[in-house]
Amino acid sequence: LEHGATQLAQLLGNGIPAARRTLTEAARGPQLRRALGPRSSEAEAAALLEAYASAPETGTRAAARLLTPDGDVRATWTRVAGATSMGWTIGGLREGTLPRDSATIGPVVAIRDTTPGFVAVAPVVSEDGALLGWLEEVHVARGTGAAEIRALIGIERLLLGSTEWTVWSDFDRIVPGPEFTAAPDSVQRVASPGGVTALGLGRAVPGTPWLV
């Protein structure tokens, strides 16, 4: 159980550094810099965000917002109704926990109460490094092959959640989270939704607040 959970967490974390770099670079592109610049109108900002967010190579993107440095909404783009950060980004801005030099992968969130997603936020900075605002994205986080992975590592349930968040998924839909009775990274008996207890174990996914 421990070996399988560790392998899975590492597998999920392998693509995170590249994803963060890609989002960091995208947020520094001329489109978004212009959208959050002092001469951009709300209509222009919305058009520039739509041009960026609706690119065909970003099929998992469900929604995107441009925020001012203080968190006010400058422009919004939505492909999937109900896709929001559930207040996580604004909370991070208020607490000062979002880095200003690179993108951050946020928690698992619920899209329309049933579909799993995750939040990603990157600073938008000018060419001289001044903070212009923030790019917030919500992506659909449905995985394929979850049944095969469960069979391969010999587990009954495979869940993805966040260390300090309440939303959990089984890689296909939102499900009730595990009720830990000890530290999540220790083997313990965990109650399933049907009331049956089983051995459970959590592992942190590197570069994210996720727990698998």
Side-chain angles (χ1 to χ4, degrees), residues 16-138:
I16 296 301
R20 290 180 60 192
R21 286 194 300 270
T22 297
L23 187 59
T24 299
E25 292 170 3
R28 294 175 178 174
Q31 274 183 319
L32 301 184
R33 281 176 170 171
R34 181 176 174 183
L36 284 169
R39 298 181 179 179
S40 176
S41 66
E42 289 188 6
E44 183 181 21
L48 289 167
L49 177 61
E50 181 177 7
Y52 160 78
S54 58
E57 65 270 16
T58 54
T60 65
R61 186 182 289 128
R65 295 196 302 175
L66 289 176
L67 309 174
T68 67
D70 295 329
D72 295 328
V73 178
R74 181 66 172 162
T76 300
W77 174 87
T78 303
R79 182 174 65 86
V80 180
T84 74
S85 67
M86 299 175 65
W88 180 82
T89 303
I90 298 301
L93 291 178
R94 289 174 178 170
E95 296 169 7
T97 56
L98 296 180
R100 297 191 174 194
D101 58 352
S102 63
T104 301
I105 304 298
V108 176
V109 295
I111 300 174
R112 292 183 297 194
D113 297 327
T114 58
T115 302
F118 70 90
V119 185
V121 180
V124 180
V125 296
S126 65
E127 292 184 0
D128 61 4
L131 181 66
L132 299 174
W134 302 89
L135 168 65
E136 173 197 84
E137 298 188 358
V138 179

Side-chain angles (χ1 to χ4, degrees), residues 108-186:
V108 176
V109 295
I111 300 174
R112 292 183 297 194
D113 297 327
T114 58
T115 302
F118 70 90
V119 185
V121 180
V124 180
V125 296
S126 65
E127 292 184 0
D128 61 4
L131 181 66
L132 299 174
W134 302 89
L135 168 65
E136 173 197 84
E137 298 188 358
V138 179
H139 289 258
V140 174
R142 273 184 169 149
T144 58
E148 290 80 0
I149 294 174
R150 288 198 304 269
L152 182 64
I153 61 179
I155 60 173
E156 181 179 347
R157 297 182 75 206
L158 178 60
L159 304 179
L160 179 69
S162 305
T163 53
E164 297 181 357
W165 208 249
T166 59
V167 178
W168 288 78
S169 88
D170 63 0
F171 290 85
D172 181 55
R173 64 191 185 280
I174 300 299
V175 297
E179 297 183 5
F180 293 113
T181 57
D185 61 353
S186 60

